[in-house]
Amino acid sequence: IYTLSLHDALPISIYVNNRFTFTLIWRIIIIVKDKKRPRARGNAAEPVPQQISRPWHESKGAYTMLNANSEFVNRYPITAAAINQIADQAAAIRDAVAGPHYKPETVRRYLETLMDRVAFYRAEIAAGRIPKVCITSGNSKIGNTLNVSLASVASCIRLDITGRAAFIPPCITKCYDLNASIMRPCVLDARARNYALALYAPEEYFKQIRERLQRARRARKAFRWHVGGEILNAAYFTSMVEIAREFPGWTFWTYTKQYATVNEYIRTHGGSRKAAIPSNLSVMFSIWEPLELVNPYGMPTFEFVPAGSSPKHKAMRCPGNCNVCIEKGIGCPAGRAVYNGEHGNGIRPNK
């Protein structure tokens, strides 16, 4: 037995050759490295450090590198006002919908912690220290599939020009990826890093994704956008489409509730799903009541079906493991309509 002491932490006994040991040592290394880094001064009320730039509403020109021609939504980090709105919405959903939900206070603490990390990475980017995009190689549900994620909830809402939330998805109190970020600080940090890069250095963000795809040496060439998080805006979605065209041998898929972003892209790029979206990119419109589905171009759907209900659209039941659909060429990766129940049901590896 070895005993480690970390500043004000309690002594920790570690048993060697244990899976828990590796996780514990890895987290200690992250904590030590983080303590040595210069901290950016930022919080939820002022997500962008003052010594780097004025607040976004006072200096919009500093952020035009993301997408100068798109709408204002999700071009900036969420504000304190938006966090308050999200917490209030979470409380309203808990009161109106039965079943387990995240507490509003939990959602608020998560967002405040997240934005502190985003402010830190914003400072790193401004100083020329570009962080590395976190691209993971899969998990028990999606199998051996490369995937990239953004910050859940924060990347899913839409802000108006005043910094208030104009759209808050109804799934925020049941988001399975939010649970991963709350329980695992390393996941939250990775999501914050990717989110900051996508906001402040999008060219570098997509460049690193392209490089990872080029380096990949694997039989299964599959890539999942956003295990957690959402399509940020029109420019972000345009880059997703461009990458799919550049790598025709890969299968890409994603789920989104940002119907307007995808519909507008199709309208301005040929007016049909077949003309605008490459065949190797499956964009699944996520259906979650009471959100109204707007699908004029017949995009494939993934429907959330509450317990005791039946799907309203003709679809196959999610088998619970993406390996099944990838290997058989069906389901989400193939752009076929799918439905599933509560997040977590069927999200276990097949026995």
Side-chain angles (χ1 to χ4, degrees), residues 1-5 11-16 21 24-25:
I1 299 176
Y2 297 88
T3 301
L4 299 179
S5 295
I12 305 170
S13 297
I14 298 178
Y15 292 84
V16 183
T21 304
L24 184 58
I25 293 176

Side-chain angles (χ1 to χ4, degrees), residues 26-306:
W26 180 247
R27 290 190 179 185
I28 290 174
I29 292 172
I30 291 176
I31 293 172
V32 172
K33 290 176 65 178
D34 191 57
K35 283 181 176 292
K36 292 181 179 180
R37 290 175 176 174
R39 283 273 181 179
R41 294 182 180 179
N43 51 45
E46 186 186 37
V48 181
Q50 283 283 28
Q51 65 269 29
I52 296 173
S53 170
R54 290 178 293 172
W56 67 267
H57 60 277
E58 296 179 9
S59 180
K60 298 186 181 67
Y63 297 87
T64 55
M65 60 181 176
L66 185 63
N67 183 20
N69 298 319
S70 75
E71 66 279 12
F72 283 101
V73 294
N74 267 33
R75 289 179 57 195
Y76 318 102
I78 59 176
T79 60
I83 290 177
N84 291 333
Q85 286 181 270
I86 294 167
D88 291 343
Q89 178 81 347
I93 293 173
R94 280 170 57 88
D95 293 339
V97 183
H101 299 271
Y102 297 112
K103 296 179 179 179
E105 298 78 15
T106 301
V107 177
R108 183 192 300 274
R109 286 196 301 271
Y110 155 74
L111 289 171
E112 290 173 347
T113 304
L114 171 71
M115 297 319 296
D116 179 69
R117 297 305 302 161
V118 171
F120 169 77
Y121 284 115
R122 169 67 177 98
E124 292 286 282
I125 293 169
R129 296 186 290 270
I130 304 298
K132 185 178 180 181
V133 175
C134 179
I135 301 174
T136 58
S137 58
N139 56 43
S140 61
K141 180 178 182 292
I142 65 175
N144 184 25
T145 301
L146 292 180
N147 60 95
V148 68
S149 294
L150 299 178
S152 55
V153 180
S155 63
C156 304
I157 69 168
R158 290 295 181 261
L159 304 180
D160 61 23
I161 193 172
T162 68
R164 294 183 60 81
F167 168 77
I168 302 175
C171 53
I172 58 173
T173 62
K174 285 182 174 290
C175 176
Y176 66 90
D177 189 71
L178 180 58
N179 184 55
S181 295
I182 291 172
M183 293 182 62
R184 299 176 174 87
C186 58
V187 173
L188 186 147
D189 185 80
R191 301 286 195 264
R193 189 194 328 156
N194 288 356
Y195 181 50
L197 273 166
L199 277 173
Y200 302 118
E203 292 184 1
E204 181 63 30
Y205 173 78
F206 287 108
K207 175 187 173 184
Q208 291 190 34
I209 292 175
R210 287 181 170 92
E211 291 174 348
R212 182 66 181 87
L213 292 173
Q214 291 170 348
R215 294 197 309 269
R217 297 290 183 269
R218 50 177 62 207
R220 174 182 294 169
K221 294 185 176 182
F223 189 92
R224 162 81 183 269
W225 292 96
H226 312 142
V227 170
E230 252 287 13
I231 298 170
L232 278 179
N233 50 33
Y236 189 100
F237 183 67
T238 298
S239 294
M240 290 172 57
V241 173
E242 290 173 350
I243 287 177
R245 295 191 189 281
E246 292 170 18
F247 295 88
W250 285 74
T251 297
F252 300 86
W253 80 98
T254 189
Y255 306 86
T256 183
K257 296 180 182 68
Q258 304 301 332
Y259 311 143
T261 300
V262 179
N263 289 337
E264 179 62 17
Y265 180 87
I266 295 175
R267 187 188 70 81
T268 57
H269 290 77
S272 71
R273 168 188 166 191
K274 185 175 182 180
I277 309 296
S279 59
N280 63 328
L281 172 59
S282 174
V283 182
M284 306 289 292
F285 275 16
S286 178
I287 305 174
W288 192 300
E289 292 187 349
L291 190 63
E292 179 183 358
L293 175 65
V294 181
N295 192 10
Y297 300 106
M299 301 300 292
T301 59
F302 189 101
E303 183 177 358
F304 164 72
V305 181

